[in-house]
Amino acid sequence: EVQLVESGGGLVQPGRSLRLSCTASGFTFVNYAMSWHRQAPGKGLEWVGFIRSEAYGETTEYAASVKGRFTISRDDSKAIAYLQMNSLKTEDTAVYYCTRGGSHFTYWGQGTLVTVSS
Amino acid sequence: EIVLTQSPATLSLSPGERATLSCVASQSVSSSYVAWYQQKPGLAPRLLIFDASNRATGIPDRFSGSGSGTDFTLTISRLEPEDFAVYFCQYYGTSPLTFGGGTKVEIK
């Protein structure tokens, strides 16, 4: 059974950093791209970015709203994808989801809430 | 960037009725790269349709997707009580991937 579990969310002050983790199981992690999305309270979904698999050079793509501040990485030996978030803004407050793949998304984690507030 | 506009924002219907949800892209896109999701409060989205018209595994056949070019539609042939939720379309042909703003299907 495919499982994705996000962790690392919490309350953080504007301008600070936070790293989210997505721990995967039930599939061969090294073979898949991994994506991150977010959903602000009461709002719609926003794609954050993805990291391709090792076979595609582990290259990354990002939404314009986070480019230069957020970095996605992966540790294939641990089956974990990371979202490093720097220079956080109040508008980054959202539930953050990880998903398997880089196109349409069958498998989602349960999400982790990030609240950026002073 | 492909902008997806969903309408209506809210659809008020009764169980057993037909629901027709619209997703319009800002420019013509390949229908191979449009998906639809259902989301219920407090839960992650659930993939319903991919490649515009293919049902995901385990999705009932009352859900169907269609469309091409700029206009895409999700149809729920007969609403069941569990279908009242928010629905999002998504384009994944190029980066950035984008989602529509959502349509809430509520009980009338």
Side-chain angles (χ1 to χ4, degrees), chain B residues 7-65:
Chain B
S7 63
T10 303
L11 197 52
S12 298
L13 295 169
S14 300
E17 289 193 296
R18 182 184 187 90
T20 303
L21 287 65
S22 172
C23 176
V24 176
S26 57
Q27 58 187 278
S28 184
V29 300
S30 168
S31 59
S32 297
Y33 303 120
V34 173
W36 289 90
Y37 299 84
Q38 176 194 69
Q39 188 178 32
K40 296 180 179 179
L43 297 179
R46 173 193 182 197
L47 177 67
L48 301 174
I49 301 289
F50 66 95
D51 295 352
S53 60
N54 293 294
R55 269 188 302 276
T57 301
I59 301 303
D61 60 7
R62 64 180 181 273
F63 291 93
S64 63

Side-chain angles (χ1 to χ4, degrees), chain A residues 80-100:
Chain A
I80 300 177
Y82 299 100
L83 178 63
Q84 176 69 43
M85 304 184 292
N86 299 331
S87 304
L88 282 161
K89 306 175 181 180
T90 55
E91 53 264 41
D92 295 319
T93 293
V95 174
Y96 285 74
Y97 295 100
C98 68
T99 59
R100 190 184 81 171

Side-chain angles (χ1 to χ4, degrees), chain A residues 37-51:
Chain A
H37 314 267
R38 65 185 181 183
Q39 188 168 35
K43 302 297 184 183
L45 296 165
E46 181 186 15
W47 172 76
V48 171
F50 66 67
I51 184 165

